[in-house]
Amino acid sequence: MNTTLRTTSGTVYLVGAGPGSLGLITVRGVECLKEADLVLYDYLANPAAVEHAPDGAELVCLGHHSTGRNLSPGEIVDRMIAEARSGRKVVRLKGGDPFVFGRGGDETDALREAGIPFEVVPGVTSGLAVGSLCEIPITHHDEASAVALVTGHERDDKTESHLDYEALAAFPGTLVIYMGVTRVAKWSQALIRHGKAPDTPVAIVRWCSRAQQQMVRSSLKTVTDVVTKSGLRPPALFVVGDVVKRSPQLSWFAERPLFGARILVAGSADTSRKLRDRLAVLGADVISQPAVRITEPADWAPVDAALDRVEQYDWMVFTSGNGVDRLVQRLFDRGEDVRRLGCVKLAAAGSGTAERLARYHLHADAVLGQFHLESLAHTLVEVAGGHRFLLPGASRGRQALAEALATAGGRVDQVDVYDSVDVDEPNPDVETALSLDEIDWITITSANTARSLVRLYGDGLRRAHLASISPMTSAALRDLGYETAVEASPHTATALVDAILHCGRPNR
Ligand code: SAH
């Protein structure tokens, strides 16, 4: 990192979030978010991107300043300066690129004047992303050797247009118009008046790169009517030029198997992340609903006591990735490291838990299916010759395994390395989406999650298809009065996604 940034004052990072799809932020952008104490993000940045920020970081959505309900550009700058002066690392996350219609220049001027160290991280600007996502060759060897990024919304206080429409009409290439929805009549007519052919093709692209991306075609002459009739609202881009004719009816992005499907992913953070990433790659719009919140255990003393005599155990059995993280973190906090576990065999319930051990370069000596506790217990006691077991986990969630081990003849100690608390506040966005029949699928990854969802949303769940990860989960749902549409086989996140895929795209 630049040495000028290593000061006692905080730093401001102006980060371009890209056009909105989570994967289209830069590596450096994610690094900055991971360090942030405060994230100020605007409505064009995907709110899910702020999940890169550490636990405890303050996250502030700035909405859109034109609504009048949010901070003005001046107030945002003042807040950044004040926060940086108090020593915080501030990430100002902006849609697209901070220096393309993003007021980035105004903000760096103010920061420099205030003596605040800053860094600017470029982003993929939406007007160029639109080419790849809609397969419009913005430049083309035969048809467009240049491209112009143009605002369709000049400031109200500008009495005369800064735009030279005559030059724009004659521009030998593609015009990409940002912020053009509300004044579409003004700029399209001005271009025609100055000689641009009225039948020039126009692509209107809303929420480019997001799951709800929409593309509508028109011509320069009809674009105002098309916007009005289709009720298109911002944010949208207009690509004006012959190259629009070269784009296919459905681009690769819109052709993905789950494009347009809205899926609620409920359950533990780990499985949810895996599901979310996979579903998003297939084109779905994913909303997350955590079922539980992870907190510190009430008391570390029993964990410390068990770690002090860890050599007395044959096996340490992990039932969740969280259990692995928390136990290893506790070792670090004690000034130790994973060598302390060298004397004990490690078992992981489920391949996800084994993968988590691998993150710490720990190899699981046994990995067993999460859903067959008896065989897991039997294998560990009889086949692997173990009798003394330590189960670090949550106060709930491993009882069945502990009992199965005891029944198979093992001696079992359980210690709480974290606590899991039910989330009891329904997400209002999810409630609304359910009531409007906007959610196509809900993925449910445990019996606990099923109970939690029913408690949170009740009959609203009948408005979506339920996708269950296992017979145990389906049975819990059935007991609560809900039928599942599909069940994963085998009982993994990947198979759950396949089951949804098998049913095809929603026909909305
Ligand atoms: N700095 C941003 C632009 C901000 S100006 C960038 O580099 O992309 C706001 C305008 O950007 C919107 O009115 C719209 O025209 C465009 N825009 C930004 N993100 C968009 C998206 N995902 N889809 C369509 N238009 C988008």
Side-chain angles (χ1 to χ4, degrees):
M1 184 179 288
N2 188 326
T3 47
T4 58
L5 300 182
R6 238 182 275 128
T7 65
T8 49
S9 147
T11 300
V12 173
Y13 300 89
L14 294 187
V15 177
S21 169
L22 278 182
L24 295 181
I25 188 171
T26 63
V27 173
R28 181 63 189 143
V30 171
E31 280 172 6
C32 293
L33 279 169
K34 285 191 170 152
E35 299 273 303
D37 300 309
L38 168 67
V39 183
L40 301 166
Y41 61 104
D42 70 27
Y43 89 113
L44 290 171
N46 190 333
V50 303
E51 283 176 21
H52 291 295
D55 285 347
E58 189 183 351
L59 310 173
V60 180
C61 176
L62 298 170
H64 189 256
H65 64 84
S66 67
T67 60
R69 277 179 282 116
N70 294 290
L71 299 183
S72 68
E75 287 166 335
I76 296 170
V77 169
D78 290 347
R79 169 115 195 236
M80 289 195 296
I81 293 174
E83 298 280 359
R85 285 210 171 116
S86 73
R88 297 177 97 191
K89 286 195 185 122
V90 182
V91 169
R92 169 85 171 98
L93 188 67
K94 287 164 174 278
D97 182 275
F99 271 64
V100 178
F101 301 124
R103 293 175 185 273
D106 295 353
E107 295 182 359
T108 51
D109 282 352
L111 292 167
R112 180 172 287 106
E113 195 172 315
I116 304 290
F118 62 85
E119 175 179 332
V120 185
V121 182
V124 178
T125 187
S126 55
L128 297 183
V130 82
S132 302
L133 292 156
C134 299
E135 292 181 59
I136 305 170
I138 301 257
T139 64
H140 187 271
H141 38 82
D142 294 332
E143 264 165 352
S145 301
V147 52
L149 307 184
V150 183
T151 173
H153 187 118
E154 292 188 275
R155 285 217 304 257
D156 291 333
D157 56 0
K158 287 188 191 162
T159 42
E160 269 182 44
S161 179
H162 275 209
L163 287 175
D164 178 344
Y165 279 106
E166 194 174 344
L168 283 178
F171 183 74
T174 308
L175 303 179
V176 180
I177 308 209
Y178 289 65
M179 298 172 280
V181 175
T182 48
R183 305 208 177 156
V184 57
K186 184 178 170 215
W187 61 259
S188 61
Q189 283 159 20
L191 285 173
I192 293 176
R193 228 180 12 255
H194 286 91
K196 186 116 183 131
D199 62 355
T200 309
V202 177
I204 313 164
V205 183
R206 183 164 192 260
W207 281 124
C208 160
S209 92
R210 297 280 283 263
Q212 63 270 50
Q213 175 174 300
Q214 205 184 341
M215 169 165 155
V216 185
R217 289 161 200 271
S218 69
S219 69
L220 203 49
K221 195 165 105 213
T222 59
V223 65
T224 307
D225 265 5
V226 170
V227 167
T228 316
K229 291 212 180 93
S230 57
L232 263 166
R233 302 294 312 137
L237 292 147
F238 297 78
V239 182
V240 182
D242 287 335
V243 290
V244 168
K245 281 191 294 206
R246 296 190 169 269
S247 65
Q249 209 51 39
L250 266 190
S251 71
W252 69 270
F253 188 78
E255 215 172 19
R256 291 170 308 158
L258 290 177
F259 185 71
R262 207 151 187 228
I263 303 182
L264 177 67
V265 169
S268 75
D270 269 351
T271 323
S272 298
R273 207 165 298 131
K274 208 184 278 172
L275 273 171
R276 186 184 72 189
D277 292 349
R278 185 145 173 74
L279 290 168
V281 165
L282 294 167
D285 182 9
V286 185
I287 320 177
S288 300
Q289 169 64 61
V292 291
R293 231 189 353 260
I294 302 299
T295 59
E296 286 278 297
D299 185 7
W300 281 110
V303 180
D304 287 335
L307 286 173
D308 288 342
R309 54 182 153 77
V310 71
E311 44 287 314
Q312 295 176 9
Y313 293 101
D314 300 305
W315 286 92
M316 194 178 276
V317 189
F318 291 95
T319 48
S320 72
N322 274 320
V324 174
D325 284 343
R326 296 287 163 146
L327 185 97
V328 172
Q329 187 56 48
R330 186 64 190 167
L331 283 175
F332 294 161
D333 291 346
R334 286 159 52 100
E336 297 168 338
D337 61 36
V338 292
R339 284 172 298 178
R340 187 87 189 99
L341 307 182
C343 52
V344 59
K345 289 207 195 79
L346 303 177
S351 56
T353 308
E355 281 163 25
R356 193 65 66 88
L357 282 168
R359 278 195 209 167
Y360 301 99
H361 305 288
L362 291 167
H363 176 73
D365 300 288
V367 185
L368 292 128
Q370 222 161 355
F371 301 98
H372 301 286
L373 293 180
E374 287 76 15
S375 69
L376 167 64
H378 178 78
T379 311
L380 292 180
V381 176
E382 300 293 332
V383 185
H387 294 284
R388 290 161 308 169
F389 297 89
L390 178 64
L391 271 62
S395 48
R396 57 180 195 188
R398 53 161 194 238
Q399 193 54 35
L401 174 62
E403 280 166 16
L405 284 169
T407 309
R411 273 187 289 137
V412 183
D413 286 343
Q414 304 184 56
V415 287
D416 297 346
V417 286
Y418 67 99
D419 218 346
S420 71
V421 190
D422 286 331
V423 170
D424 48 15
E425 289 290 311
N427 175 342
D429 293 342
V430 171
E431 272 183 324
T432 312
L434 280 171
S435 70
L436 296 174
D437 289 327
E438 282 178 358
I439 295 190
D440 301 294
W441 287 97
I442 303 179
T443 62
I444 306 166
T445 51
S446 71
N448 245 343
T449 306
R451 285 187 279 275
S452 146
L453 275 176
V454 170
R455 211 179 46 249
L456 292 172
Y457 301 109
D459 273 347
L461 301 182
R462 299 194 196 281
R463 292 170 168 267
H465 297 100
L466 306 183
S468 145
I469 202 166
S470 71
M472 260 162 69
T473 307
S474 306
L477 280 163
R478 203 164 310 119
D479 288 349
L480 294 160
Y482 295 82
E483 277 308 317
T484 50
V486 295
E487 185 181 283
S489 173
H491 319 314
T492 61
T494 312
L496 188 56
V497 173
D498 288 346
I500 293 175
L501 265 178
H502 192 69
C503 292
R505 284 147 74 113
N507 39 13
R508 268 196 281 125

